[in-house]
């Protein structure tokens, strides 16, 4: 009897046990999830901080933080009501002045904003084209422009024009319709691969210009890292002097860009700094041969060894070096290793429309292997319009430009390119020697680094270099201003070869004039290096003095808008 009572009590106790409230379970699970997420967040930012400290060092990290805070504070200041309206007003005024310079106006200017009711006659079209070609401009034809126009001579232009006309309607997206264009494009790539000592398994593509070549190299590296290593937060390490197209690639393809200093006196990338910045998210290393600002060739051999050791792709930007770099030694000039003979180099960009003398809109991107090239391909296998594939960003492309490029390369040939290299690089060395040795220049101008190719950059220890640039503009020269640090450069082309003596003479005269202005300032008690007054000085002076570059971005945006103001 007693045992049955115990059993009943036990049973009743079990059946009357109160269940744990469901809400408590949910709260516990939510707390656990929150803690896990917080831990992951903490680990993520701890890792980021560790990588930052490793890559930039303690001092560099603090300096980066200081710049960020300073820039943020200045940005907030610029957005304050009174300041914002004044900045907007001054930017609008600057853009309006820019439009007056770039957009033709006045009673004699015709503007065509709608289609003509009836089509023009051939004579009308030719007459208007003649007027457009004769609009007031810096005389590149007289060698007054640094870079920009890489002219191979009037005879070559005739050959290019014939090739362009013959393949005017050609489009390489239809190789069965235009087999000749397909053949020429493949031969262009093959010839450039041979110039850069590519191995048998190498491959390449033709592009619309150096920017597209660089964009595709970065995209290929990103896709390779994602497919082979699962890298979802890609980073690339580039010299601070690398072309702006790498920054564009970073913005377009969501690749974090690490800038590495190129300190004087060499102005070449610091490979030690590159090494510190490498981590598991690194997808690409970059070197220039040469760089655009100073014409300096980075230590590609050292970067190649580093890339091999860390098993990373290395891209060499030879867009500016183009058809000069491969011929330097054969033209009798010193050079540095830069091409596929270095085992760590996996891709090279080379502009055929620069010192290859092809029409604008031509470049090449070379890969060590065909497998690397496939990472830039786009294929849509199930599109309702049929299977679609393209080698890069563009679908349809102008076959006429490919034909003109092929005709240029076949017309000039190796001997022609060696002769051009001798003339162009020889002229650059003459200009460099004048800056270093000319009595009127050697004390006030300094060559930046040791250029080996066609670019000669210089700054000034005594004068405002932007005043020098503006004064050269007043004499009819269109030279390139540099920033960070301030300077200017000349990119020698065939037209400049003929007028380099006049360039040196005008540069010496401008330096003397600027020195006289400085002497007057000192006599008047205003001190040396007075405030720069010209357009170039105004733009780059502002850019270098402001912690936040949003004003410069607005000015650049206004300039871009002006390009489409009819």
């Amino acid at each position: 009897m007693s045992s049955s009572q115990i059993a009943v009590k036990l049973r009743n106790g079990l059946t009357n046990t109160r269940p744990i409230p469901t809400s408590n379970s949910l709260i516990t699970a939510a707390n656990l999830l929150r803690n896990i997420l917080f831990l992951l967040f903490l680990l993520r930012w701890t890792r980021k901080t560790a990588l930052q400290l490793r890559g930039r060092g303690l001092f560099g990290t603090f300096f980066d933080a200081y710049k960020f805070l300073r820039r943020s504070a200045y940005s907030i200041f610029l957005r304050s009501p009174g300041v914002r309206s004044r900045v907007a007003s001054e930017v609008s005024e600057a853009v309006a002045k820019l439009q007056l310079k770039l957009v033709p106006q006045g009673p004699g200017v015709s503007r065509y904003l709608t289609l003509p009711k009836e089509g023009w006659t051939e004579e009308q079209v030719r007459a208007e084209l003649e007027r457009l070609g004769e609009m007031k401009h810096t005389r590149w034809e007289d060698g007054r422009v640094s870079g920009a126009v890489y002219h191979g001579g009037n005879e070559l232009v005739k050959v290019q024009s014939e090739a362009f006309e013959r393949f005017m309607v050609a489009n390489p997206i239809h190789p069965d319709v235009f087999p000749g264009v397909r053949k020429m494009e493949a031969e262009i790539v093959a010839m450039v691969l041979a110039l850069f000592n590519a191995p048998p398994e190498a491959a390449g593509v033709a592009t619309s210009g150096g920017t597209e070549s660089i964009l595709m190299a970065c995209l290929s590296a990103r896709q390779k890292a994602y497919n082979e290593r699962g890298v979802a937060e890609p980073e690339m390490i580039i010299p601070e002097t690398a072309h702006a197209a790498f920054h564009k690639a970073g913005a377009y393809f969501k690749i974090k860009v690490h800038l590495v200093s190129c300190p004087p006196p060499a102005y070449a990338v610091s490979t030690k700094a590159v090494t510190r910045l490498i981590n598991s998210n690194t997808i690409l290393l970059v070197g220039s041969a040469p760089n655009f600002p100073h014409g300096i060739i980075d230590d590609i051999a050292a970067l190649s060894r580093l890339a091999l050791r860390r098993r990373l792709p290395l891209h060499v930007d030879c867009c500016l070096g183009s058809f000069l770099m491969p011929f330097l030694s054969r033209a009798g000039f010193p050079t540095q290793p830069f091409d596929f003979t270095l085992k760590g180099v996996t891709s090279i960009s080379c502009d055929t429309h620069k010192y290859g003398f092809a029409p604008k809109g031509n470049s090449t991107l070379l890969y060590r292997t065909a497998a690397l090239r496939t990472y830039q391909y786009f294929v849509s296998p199930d599109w309702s319009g049929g299977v679609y594939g393209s080698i890069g960003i563009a679908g349809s492309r102008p076959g006429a430009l490919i034909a003109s490029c092929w005709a240029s390369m076949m017309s000039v040939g190796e001997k022609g390119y060696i002769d051009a290299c001798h003339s162009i690089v020889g002229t650059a060395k003459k200009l460099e020697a004048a800056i270093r040795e000319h009595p009127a220049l050697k004390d006030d101008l300094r060559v930046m680094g040791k250029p080996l190719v066609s670019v000669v950059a210089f700054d000034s220890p005594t004068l405002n270099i932007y005043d020098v640039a503006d004064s050269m503009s007043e004499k009819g020269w269109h030279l390139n201003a540099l920033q960070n640090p301030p300077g200017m450069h000349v990119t020698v082309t065939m037209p400049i070869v003929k007028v380099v003596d006049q360039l040196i003479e005008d540069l010496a005269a401008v330096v003397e004039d600027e020195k006289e202005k400085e002497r007057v300032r000192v006599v008047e008690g205003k001190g040396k290096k007075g405030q720069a007054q010209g357009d170039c000085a105004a733009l780059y002076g502002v850019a270098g003095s402001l912690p936040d570059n949003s004003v410069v971005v607005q000015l650049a945006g206004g300039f871009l808008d002006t390009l489409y103001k009819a």
Side-chain angles (χ1 to χ4, degrees):
M1 186 64 133
S2 60
S3 61
S4 64
Q5 288 178 346
I6 292 174
V8 170
K9 289 181 179 180
L10 250 165
R11 187 174 66 249
N12 292 338
L14 290 173
T15 56
N16 292 332
T17 300
R18 298 177 63 187
I20 298 174
T22 305
S23 59
N24 289 344
S25 301
L26 292 175
I27 292 171
T28 302
N31 288 336
L32 180 61
L33 180 62
R34 183 186 61 189
N35 291 338
I36 291 172
L37 291 175
F38 177 73
L39 181 61
L40 290 174
F41 173 83
L42 196 61
L43 288 174
R44 175 184 174 86
W45 284 99
T46 300
R47 181 175 180 272
K48 283 181 175 289
T49 303
L51 291 175
Q52 171 73 17
L53 287 169
R54 178 190 169 196
R56 296 296 186 189
L58 187 62
F59 177 78
T61 299
F62 277 120
F63 184 66
D64 288 346
Y66 164 75
K67 287 196 299 182
F68 172 77
L69 293 172
R70 185 168 177 252
R71 185 168 58 246
S72 300
Y74 195 80
S75 178
I76 293 171
F77 168 73
L78 289 178
R79 290 197 299 269
S80 59
V83 176
R84 181 173 54 191
S85 58
R86 179 164 183 180
V87 168
S89 173
E90 293 189 3
V91 168
S92 298
E93 183 180 345
V95 171
K97 290 180 180 178
L98 187 64
Q99 290 178 357
L100 288 175
K101 287 186 176 182
L102 294 181
V103 182
Q105 300 179 28
V109 176
S110 299
R111 300 169 67 217
Y112 308 105
L113 305 182
T114 59
L115 284 171
K117 296 297 183 183
E118 297 289 338
W120 286 8
T121 64
E122 290 184 13
E123 290 74 17
Q124 285 177 299
V125 173
R126 290 195 185 99
E128 185 63 20
L129 288 174
E130 186 70 21
R131 284 192 289 272
L132 291 168
E134 292 302 318
M135 288 177 66
K136 184 179 179 181
H137 62 281
T138 305
R139 296 293 300 174
W140 67 264
E141 303 92 332
D142 300 333
R144 293 272 170 166
V145 177
S146 166
V149 181
Y150 297 83
H151 198 260
N154 292 329
E155 291 303 313
L156 184 60
V157 169
K158 292 179 182 178
V159 175
Q160 292 168 342
S161 299
E162 291 177 15
F164 195 97
E165 182 177 5
R166 174 66 182 79
F167 291 91
M168 180 74 72
V169 301
N171 183 354
I173 202 172
H174 303 294
D176 54 334
V177 182
F178 305 106
V181 170
R182 187 218 63 81
K183 181 176 183 292
M184 286 186 287
E185 185 171 35
E187 289 174 351
I188 289 168
V189 172
M191 286 188 278
V192 181
L193 282 167
L195 276 181
F196 286 83
N197 296 303
E201 64 274 17
V205 297
T207 70
S208 63
T211 291
E212 186 184 353
S213 293
I214 290 170
L215 287 175
M216 291 296 95
C218 294
L219 177 64
S220 176
R222 191 194 74 169
Q223 296 304 95
K224 171 180 166 61
Y226 179 77
N227 282 278
E228 297 181 7
R229 295 192 283 130
V231 176
E233 296 182 340
E235 302 177 5
M236 61 180 168
I237 304 171
I238 71 172
E240 63 183 359
T241 53
H243 197 276
F246 289 100
H247 296 267
K248 181 182 282 190
Y252 280 5
F253 304 139
K254 304 302 180 186
I255 304 171
K256 183 177 180 179
V257 178
H258 288 288
L259 293 179
V260 179
S261 64
C262 301
Y267 293 96
V269 69
S270 167
T271 51
K272 288 184 178 180
V274 173
T275 303
R276 289 195 302 269
L277 285 166
I278 293 174
N279 60 57
S280 59
N281 286 330
T282 303
I283 63 162
L284 184 65
L285 307 182
V286 172
S288 304
N291 64 48
F292 174 82
H294 312 128
I296 303 300
I297 303 171
D298 288 316
D299 190 347
I300 307 299
L303 289 172
S304 172
R305 291 191 295 271
L306 178 59
L308 281 174
R309 190 165 67 249
R310 303 303 291 267
R311 298 182 180 180
L312 290 170
L314 168 61
H315 180 78
V316 176
D317 177 20
C318 198
C319 288
L320 182 56
S322 185
F323 280 32
L324 295 181
M325 286 295 297
F327 293 111
L328 278 177
S329 60
R330 294 170 67 181
F333 299 111
T335 186
Q336 295 175 202
F338 67 95
D339 60 14
F340 286 116
T341 55
L342 298 171
K343 302 302 182 184
V345 174
T346 54
S347 59
I348 300 174
S349 48
C350 169
D351 282 358
T352 44
H353 69 198
K354 284 193 173 73
Y355 295 107
F357 305 131
K360 282 295 184 184
N362 282 289
S363 181
T364 55
L365 173 58
L366 316 176
Y367 291 103
R368 179 172 286 277
T369 67
L372 290 171
R373 180 176 61 181
T374 61
Y375 285 113
Q376 76 163 66
Y377 289 173
F378 174 80
V379 178
S380 179
D382 50 5
W383 178 43
S384 57
V387 177
Y388 177 90
S390 65
I391 60 171
I393 292 175
S396 293
R397 293 179 293 132
L401 282 177
I402 293 170
S404 300
C405 178
W406 182 90
S408 303
M409 293 170 65
M410 298 301 287
S411 297
V412 178
E414 278 195 6
K415 185 180 184 303
Y417 286 121
I418 292 171
D419 291 344
C421 179
H422 190 272
S423 297
I424 291 166
V425 178
T427 299
K429 293 192 177 298
K430 182 176 184 179
L431 175 60
E432 178 191 356
I435 295 172
R436 294 188 190 277
E437 301 167 7
H438 193 291
L441 300 175
K442 64 180 182 179
D443 294 329
D444 297 285
L445 299 181
R446 296 179 302 196
V447 175
M448 304 174 78
K450 296 180 179 179
L452 296 181
V453 201
S454 59
V455 176
V456 180
F458 49 93
D459 62 3
S460 175
T462 60
L463 303 171
N464 188 311
I465 195 66
Y466 298 138
D467 279 337
V468 175
D470 283 319
S471 295
M472 289 297 286
S473 294
E474 291 172 4
K475 286 184 173 290
W477 296 94
H478 186 285
L479 308 181
N480 298 93
L482 310 174
Q483 60 179 342
N484 304 320
M488 57 189 294
H489 83 210
V490 177
T491 300
V492 177
T493 60
M494 288 300 288
I496 288 182
V497 168
K498 303 172 185 177
V499 296
V500 67
D501 291 330
Q502 185 63 52
L503 172 61
I504 294 169
E505 182 180 329
D506 285 350
L507 189 57
V510 163
V511 168
E512 283 297 328
D513 288 344
E514 292 303 319
K515 287 167 67 177
E516 179 60 29
K517 292 176 185 176
E518 291 294 327
R519 286 191 284 267
V520 170
R521 291 187 188 107
V522 171
V523 170
E524 293 176 348
K526 297 179 180 178
K528 293 186 177 182
K529 282 199 174 183
Q531 185 177 1
Q533 300 295 326
D535 292 340
C536 175
L539 174 61
Y540 288 102
V542 168
S545 62
L546 297 179
D548 175 75
N549 57 15
S550 60
V551 174
V552 179
V553 171
Q554 291 179 57
L555 288 170
F559 166 76
L560 297 175
D561 289 340
T562 300
L563 299 181
Y564 285 92
K565 189 173 181 61

